[in-house]
């Protein structure tokens, strides 16, 4: 059993992050694409390292050194948990190689175990990027005893276990429920988004349960933060104490308990693995179609309809891209619920944030635009579009239009909620409408431009496109990064120049989108 | 109808490709394209269909250059790959509807043609099912119907008989003959030499990206008893530099 698990684990890990393809391929395009991806990852990880190191240093500077390991644990665990919910189903119940594996003399437990290990290794790399910079700053400043150094190792390697176990349980539940539905992908995507929203809501409720006011927070920041972290994720504070006090046995005990939870979840999942896979991969064919009236449609409408069907057919595609617009509506609804003045007139906020709200809304909407991976999502079907008498413009227009139509209802809802919350007058209302629309349009065109340069068409698993491609990282987040830069500008600019700033930014964004559009068609 | 002149296509980092290939397919031709695995048949068809760019050479369909006006060229033909990856998230009828919309086929015509070919290939009852539930042969049939729904003058088919059941193979051959009888043309690759011998009026043999023989079936058959024997002889005899053109000389 163990030997078979080892073989499967080796097979799973040999191409982690596309390493084996990079190593074995002689195609220069593959190498170039891999180097581009590496560069993108290096920049993103560099930013994360810088951020985590800075956060750790800030906590130490405020005299809150004791909460650093707990803080790092919570951040790493939340990252693993959130992304785990969205990817657990597609990784554990992956179609690729399933038929061949099932025909081999290996147990389902071995298949599940190998996939768990793969997911663990991927998550461990992310966790280490979060933990190491922070903990290096911590040990540099605090100079703890040898016990703390030793306790760090079991702590660090065990951080992914529990959030992964939770995420996989939720992911399995979602996949299991949706696998019995006719519209599996849509149901799975809907449930995934609901799960993420539920976690966000619960987190905010737990955080709000703290009885400290703003003044208390400033006075007893360390105690309050520690209590908050304990409410959010109790094990973080417990294991943090082991690292701070150098209690190696406690750290090892923690690692053992986490591993036991992880193994228990693996055992549960392996019991229902085959049943879920069978439901997922077998679609009933009715063989009962009778010719009915067909209607001719304009080419753009036909292509756009096809784009929408393609989009809705992939749960991982939907759940990763619809979360932005949903969060945008939640943000707007939240602002209406708590009252805009809570934010705009909050004395704790050093700047006037009202001018930045349109950019913030756009940023949340454009966290990951579908258009940015829409070409790569064609995959091996690309021959159809290439052999049909279609102009590049028609194909790209359909992709952009589908993205805009998809975002439209969310955009309208968010705008209504924001208008009710902020009650802007004159130009303020114009910018509230125009700025998010301009940035959404830009992010669609920019995303497609990037995808045209870094297409991934030889994929077997949609996860490779939606989560791991350069298009998803560079293109999908383009609008988000642009909005973030604009937010910084809006916070910095004096209130009397806000309209000029918003107008100029809007014009530049639309002009750039126009130039990019002309370039790609 | 289809003129391929000095087509050259090589992949970076690979010795495979096409070198200086020229072929003329006239109206009424059923032109068989045969060769070993990896000889360059699929690459040739993909270049002709505008799916892959050429390094050199020209492809003209009805006198229109593929590089100059690819859209007009693509309106004239239908292409089917050897392993038709078709949008698995659409139902069969949705896919056919999409293709008919792209080629601007009227509602009544598309209904008639889909019914006609769907019944002929026996997949009409399955058209309401997702393509992901189709077998390889059913996908092949669907791809063929999508190719026929807009009545193309030229069919480019890569291994069209692979995966088809015997009845569907017979029907496809009848359809191919019918298209050519009405002035259309078919250029198709195949491994099945018996089919090529019985169906084609012209044939081309390719080895390692180079054309080693081409011409009418009568001219080719002067070399031996069966196409299979001739194919083996020609392919084994042909040196790397031996390349015989459209004249039919072997």
């Amino acid at each position: 059993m163990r030997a078979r698990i080892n073989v499967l684990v080796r097979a799973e890990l040999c191409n982690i992050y596309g390493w084996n393809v990079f190593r074995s391929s002689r195609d220069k395009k593959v190498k170039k694409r891999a180097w581009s991806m590496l560069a993108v990852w290096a920049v993103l990880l560099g930013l994360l390292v810088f951020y985590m190191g800075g956060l750790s240093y800030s906590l130490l500077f405020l005299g809150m050194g004791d909460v650093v390991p707990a803080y790092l644990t919570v951040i790493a665990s939340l990252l693993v948990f959130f992304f785990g919910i969205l990817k657990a189903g597609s990784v554990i119940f992956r179609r690729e190689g399933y038929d061949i594996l099932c025909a081999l003399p290996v147990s389902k437990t071995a298949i599940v175990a190998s996939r768990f290990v793969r997911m663990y290794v991927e998550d461990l790399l992310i966790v280490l990027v979060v933990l190491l910079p922070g903990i290096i700053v911590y040990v540099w400043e605090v100079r703890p005893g040898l016990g703390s150094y030793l306790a760090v190792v079991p702590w660090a390697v065990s951080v992914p276990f529990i959030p992964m176990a939770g995420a996989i349980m939720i992911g399995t539940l979602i996949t299991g429920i949706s696998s019995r539905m006719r519209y599996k992908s849509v149901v799975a995507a809907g449930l995934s988004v609901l799960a993420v929203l539920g976690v966000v809501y619960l987190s905010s409720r737990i955080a709000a349960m703290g009885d400290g006011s703003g003044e208390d927070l400033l006075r007893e920041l360390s105690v309050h933060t520690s209590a908050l972290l304990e409410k959010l994720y109790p094990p973080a504070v417990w294991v943090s104490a082991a690292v701070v006090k150098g209690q190696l046995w406690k750290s090892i005990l923690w690692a053992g308990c986490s591993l036991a939870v992880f193994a228990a979840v693996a055992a549960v999942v392996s019991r229902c693995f085959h049943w879920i896979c069978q439901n997922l991969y077998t679609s009933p064919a009715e063989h009962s179609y009778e010719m009915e009236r067909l209607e001719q449609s304009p080419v753009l409408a036909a292509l756009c309809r096809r784009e929408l069907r393609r989009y809705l057919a992939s749960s991982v595609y939907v759940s990763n891209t619809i979360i932005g617009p949903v969060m945008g509506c939640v943000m707007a609804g939240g602002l209406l619920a708590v009252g805009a003045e809570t934010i705009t007139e909050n004395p704790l906020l050093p700047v006037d944030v009202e001018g930045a709200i349109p950019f913030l809304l756009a940023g949340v909407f454009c966290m990951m635009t579908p258009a940015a991976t829409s070409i790569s999502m064609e995959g091996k079907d690309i021959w159809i579009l290439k052999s049909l008498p279609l102009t590049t413009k028609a194909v790209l227009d359909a992709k952009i239009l589908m993205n805009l139509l998809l975002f439209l209802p969310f955009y309208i809802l968010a705008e209504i909620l924001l208008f009710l919350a902020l009650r802007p007058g004159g130009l303020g209302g114009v910018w509230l409408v125009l700025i998010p629309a301009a940035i959404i349009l830009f992010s669609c065109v920019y995303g497609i431009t990037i995808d045209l340069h870094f297409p991934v068409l030889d994929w077997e698993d949609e996860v490779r496109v939606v989560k791991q491609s350069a298009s998803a990282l560079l293109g999908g987040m383009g609008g988000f990064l642009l909005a973030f830069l604009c937010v910084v500008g809006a916070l910095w600019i004096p209130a009397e120049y806000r309209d000029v700033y918003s107008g100029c930014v809007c014009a530049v964004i639309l002009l750039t989108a126009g130039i990019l559009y002309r370039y790609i068609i | 109808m289809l003129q391929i002149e000095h087509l050259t296509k090589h992949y970076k980092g690979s010795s495979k490709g096409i070198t200086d290939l020229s072929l003329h397919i006239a109206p009424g031709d059923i032109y068989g394209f045969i060769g070993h695995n990896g000889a360059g048949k699929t690459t040739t068809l993909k270049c002709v269909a505008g799916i892959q760019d050429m390094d050199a050479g020209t492809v003209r369909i009805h006198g229109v250059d593929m590089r100059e006006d690819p859209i007009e060229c693509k309106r004239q033909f239908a292409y089917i790959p050897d392993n038709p990856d078709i949008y698995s998230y659409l139902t069969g009828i949705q896919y056919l509807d999409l293709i008919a919309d792209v080629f601007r086929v009227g509602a009544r015509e598309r209904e008639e043609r889909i019914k006609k070919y769907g019944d002929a290939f026996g997949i009409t009852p399955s058209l309401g099912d997702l393509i992901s539930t189709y077998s390889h042969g059913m996908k092949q049939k669907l791809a063929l119907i999508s190719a026929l729904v807009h009545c193309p003058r030229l069919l480019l088919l890569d291994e069209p008989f692979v995966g088809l059941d015997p009845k569907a193979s017979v029907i496809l051959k009848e359809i191919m003959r019918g298209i050519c009888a009405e002035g259309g043309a078919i250029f198709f690759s195949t491994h099945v030499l018996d089919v090529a011998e019985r169906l084609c009026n012209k044939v081309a043999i390719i080895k390692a990206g180079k054309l080693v023989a081409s011409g009418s079936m009568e001219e080719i058959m002067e070399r031996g008893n069966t196409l299979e024997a001739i194919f083996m002889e020609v392919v084994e005899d042909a040196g790397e530099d031996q390349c015989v053109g459209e004249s039919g000389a072997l």
Side-chain angles (χ1 to χ4, degrees):
Chain A
M1 174 78 162
R2 193 194 284 173
R4 280 166 186 166
I5 291 178
N6 283 342
V7 170
L8 293 179
V9 166
R10 271 206 304 277
E12 285 283 341
L13 295 184
C14 82
N15 196 36
I16 198 163
Y17 292 116
W19 163 247
N20 199 46
V21 173
F22 173 73
R23 198 182 56 166
S24 311
S25 178
R26 291 181 191 171
D27 190 342
K28 284 182 182 172
K29 276 185 185 171
V30 172
K31 301 266 185 193
K32 192 179 159 191
R33 200 187 301 148
W35 282 115
S36 310
M37 275 297 292
L38 192 65
V40 173
W41 273 109
V43 171
L44 290 175
L45 293 179
L47 288 172
L48 193 59
V49 165
F50 182 74
Y51 175 76
M52 296 313 300
L55 179 74
S56 185
Y57 185 78
S58 305
L59 290 169
L60 285 160
F61 184 74
L62 291 169
M64 297 160 60
D66 286 357
V67 299
V68 167
Y71 224 106
L72 298 174
T73 309
V74 169
I75 292 173
S77 301
L78 282 175
L79 275 176
V80 170
F81 188 57
F82 275 111
F83 291 115
I85 290 174
L86 293 175
K87 76 174 182 182
S90 54
V91 173
I92 303 296
F93 303 100
R94 195 174 70 245
R95 177 74 195 258
E96 186 187 0
Y98 174 75
D99 292 344
I100 292 171
L101 281 176
C102 282
L104 293 175
V106 292
S107 67
K108 302 290 180 290
T109 310
I111 298 172
V112 171
S114 65
R115 293 182 177 189
F116 265 63
V117 172
R118 183 201 174 119
M119 204 168 152
Y120 168 73
V121 172
E122 285 178 351
D123 285 345
L124 182 64
L125 293 175
I126 294 168
V127 164
L128 291 180
V129 170
V130 173
L131 296 186
L132 286 182
I135 212 69
I136 286 170
V137 171
Y138 172 78
V139 296
W140 183 264
E141 291 289 324
V142 177
R143 309 275 175 182
L146 180 65
S148 291
Y149 287 96
L150 294 174
V152 160
V153 178
W155 163 66
V157 296
S158 63
V159 163
F161 285 136
I162 289 184
M164 261 184 74
I168 288 173
M169 281 305 281
I170 295 174
T172 303
L173 205 63
I174 289 169
T175 313
I177 293 168
S178 60
S179 71
R180 303 207 57 172
M181 309 281 182
R182 181 175 166 83
Y183 299 102
K184 298 179 174 76
S185 303
V186 178
V187 174
L191 289 174
S192 299
V193 171
L194 277 178
V196 170
L197 288 178
V199 172
V200 170
Y201 175 74
L202 283 176
S203 306
S204 64
R205 290 293 300 165
I206 291 168
M209 275 160 63
D211 51 2
S213 64
E215 287 165 21
D216 292 334
L217 189 75
L218 291 171
R219 204 177 303 128
E220 295 174 356
L221 203 55
S222 180
V223 177
H224 188 87
T225 307
S226 194
L228 191 66
L229 291 174
E230 193 165 5
K231 280 175 187 164
L232 267 173
Y233 188 46
V237 176
W238 193 77
V239 73
S240 172
V243 174
V244 170
K245 293 172 186 167
Q247 296 165 317
L248 178 61
W249 67 272
K250 217 171 172 181
S251 188
I252 292 174
L253 182 66
W254 156 257
C257 292
S258 305
L259 185 59
V261 172
F262 188 65
V265 169
V268 170
V269 172
S270 65
R271 285 188 74 87
C272 56
F273 179 73
H274 190 57
W275 179 83
I276 291 178
C277 286
Q278 276 188 325
N279 280 321
L280 272 180
Y281 305 144
T282 48
S283 306
E286 294 175 0
H287 300 296
S288 58
Y289 181 78
E290 288 177 13
M291 277 306 295
E292 52 194 34
R293 292 296 302 272
L294 300 174
E295 286 179 13
Q296 188 178 354
S297 307
V299 176
L300 185 62
L303 290 175
C304 205
R305 201 163 46 230
R306 205 258 328 166
E307 288 291 336
L308 187 64
R309 284 176 176 144
R310 200 283 157 263
Y311 178 73
L312 294 176
S314 168
S315 61
V316 67
Y317 193 18
V318 175
S319 56
N320 275 269
T321 52
I322 208 71
I323 195 85
V326 171
M327 293 296 283
C329 293
V330 170
M331 185 190 102
L335 204 60
L336 180 63
V338 300
E341 63 282 357
T342 315
I343 307 292
T344 55
E345 292 168 17
N346 192 329
L348 286 175
L349 292 171
V351 288
D352 179 9
V353 296
E354 195 170 348
I357 285 176
F359 297 107
L360 280 171
L361 179 74
V364 176
F365 259 72
C366 300
M367 282 199 290
M368 187 63 75
T369 46
T373 44
S374 57
I375 295 165
S376 294
M377 285 300 280
E378 298 288 346
K380 289 173 185 168
D381 296 336
I382 194 76
W383 70 270
I384 299 173
L385 291 179
K386 281 188 167 184
S387 66
L388 290 175
L390 292 167
T391 57
T392 308
K393 183 178 182 305
V395 174
L396 299 185
D397 280 354
K399 291 182 184 298
I400 293 170
L401 190 58
M402 196 289 286
N403 196 152
L404 295 177
L405 289 174
L406 185 75
F407 278 19
L408 187 63
F410 297 97
Y411 168 77
I412 291 171
L413 177 62
E415 285 291 336
I416 291 170
L417 293 170
L418 279 182
F419 265 83
L420 291 172
L422 297 171
R423 300 192 180 279
L427 279 174
V430 174
W431 303 135
L432 193 56
V433 172
L434 265 186
I435 289 170
I439 293 179
I440 290 169
L441 180 67
F442 168 83
S443 70
C444 293
V445 180
Y446 167 78
I448 284 190
T449 310
I450 295 295
D451 203 19
L452 281 170
H453 283 86
F454 301 99
V456 182
L457 298 165
D458 56 347
W459 50 267
E460 296 291 336
D461 188 349
E462 289 160 344
V463 173
R464 202 180 140 206
V465 175
V466 177
K467 289 178 182 293
Q468 299 165 359
S469 66
S471 305
L473 290 171
L474 274 177
M477 296 174 72
F480 174 76
L481 292 175
L482 173 71
F484 178 76
L485 291 175
C486 293
V487 165
V488 174
L491 294 175
W492 174 77
I493 211 94
E496 59 267 31
Y497 296 117
R498 190 180 292 158
D499 288 336
V500 178
Y501 172 75
S502 299
C504 289
V505 166
C506 217
V508 170
I509 290 170
L510 286 173
L511 188 68
T512 313
I515 292 168
L516 278 180
Y517 179 72
R518 293 290 302 167
Y519 167 68
I520 58 176
I521 62 164
Chain B
M1 171 99 45
L2 169 63
Q3 289 177 300
I4 306 168
E5 303 282 359
H6 309 293
L7 169 60
T8 299
K9 167 76 185 175
H10 287 282
Y11 297 102
K12 283 176 189 167
S14 168
S15 57
K16 287 184 179 179
I18 309 294
T19 306
D20 198 29
L21 187 142
S22 296
L23 284 173
H24 293 181
I25 288 112
D29 278 350
I30 301 183
Y31 211 123
F33 195 36
I34 55 182
H36 285 306
N37 290 335
K41 303 186 296 293
T42 296
T43 303
T44 304
L45 280 162
K46 281 186 174 176
C47 287
V48 173
I51 293 172
Q52 279 185 349
D53 294 332
M54 299 170 275
D55 295 341
T58 54
V59 170
R60 286 198 186 84
I61 297 169
H62 281 299
V64 182
D65 193 313
M66 175 60 88
R67 280 184 177 159
E68 286 172 9
D69 194 350
I71 303 298
E72 186 49 41
C73 283
K74 289 175 184 181
R75 285 202 184 101
Q76 307 293 324
F77 68 77
Y79 164 77
I80 300 176
D82 54 346
N83 186 14
D85 289 301
I86 303 176
Y87 304 131
S88 56
Y89 46 88
L90 296 183
T91 63
I93 193 70
Q94 285 170 347
Y95 177 65
L96 296 175
D97 228 11
L98 170 72
I99 300 297
D101 279 334
V102 169
F103 282 94
R104 298 186 173 90
V105 180
R108 185 184 289 178
E109 290 93 331
R110 76 175 69 179
E111 274 175 45
E112 286 172 4
R113 289 171 196 164
I114 291 171
K115 174 125 183 66
K116 176 183 163 190
Y117 294 118
D119 288 347
F121 285 118
I123 67 160
T124 304
S126 301
L127 290 179
D129 297 327
L130 282 173
I131 296 171
S132 59
T133 65
Y134 284 22
S135 65
H136 178 87
M138 286 167 78
K139 282 185 193 168
Q140 189 78 355
K141 290 174 184 176
L142 185 72
L144 284 166
I145 299 171
S146 74
L148 298 167
V149 79
H150 55 95
C151 291
R153 302 286 309 280
L154 173 66
L155 276 178
L156 304 170
L157 311 174
D158 196 355
E159 301 287 352
F161 297 100
V162 173
L164 288 185
D165 54 57
K167 185 186 169 194
S169 291
V170 171
I171 292 166
L172 177 59
K173 284 176 210 163
E174 284 172 9
I175 290 170
M176 288 165 82
R177 288 192 188 102
I179 288 172
C180 292
E182 290 170 9
I186 290 156
F187 181 44
F188 77 105
S189 71
T190 184
H191 282 121
V192 190
L193 298 182
D194 288 345
V195 170
E197 191 175 334
R198 274 185 248 129
L199 189 64
C200 302
N201 65 325
K202 286 183 184 166
V203 71
I205 301 174
I206 185 172
K207 184 191 177 187
K210 292 179 182 174
L211 199 66
V212 290
S214 68
S216 69
M217 188 59 79
E218 292 78 24
E219 288 169 333
I220 298 281
M221 291 302 285
E222 284 171 8
R223 283 287 294 260
N225 292 330
T226 62
L227 186 59
E228 193 174 73
I230 297 164
F231 173 75
M232 293 306 292
E233 183 191 330
V234 167
V235 166
E236 282 171 15
D237 287 352
E240 285 297 308
D241 298 326
Q242 188 179 343
C243 182
V244 182
E246 175 80 329
S247 63
L250 281 165

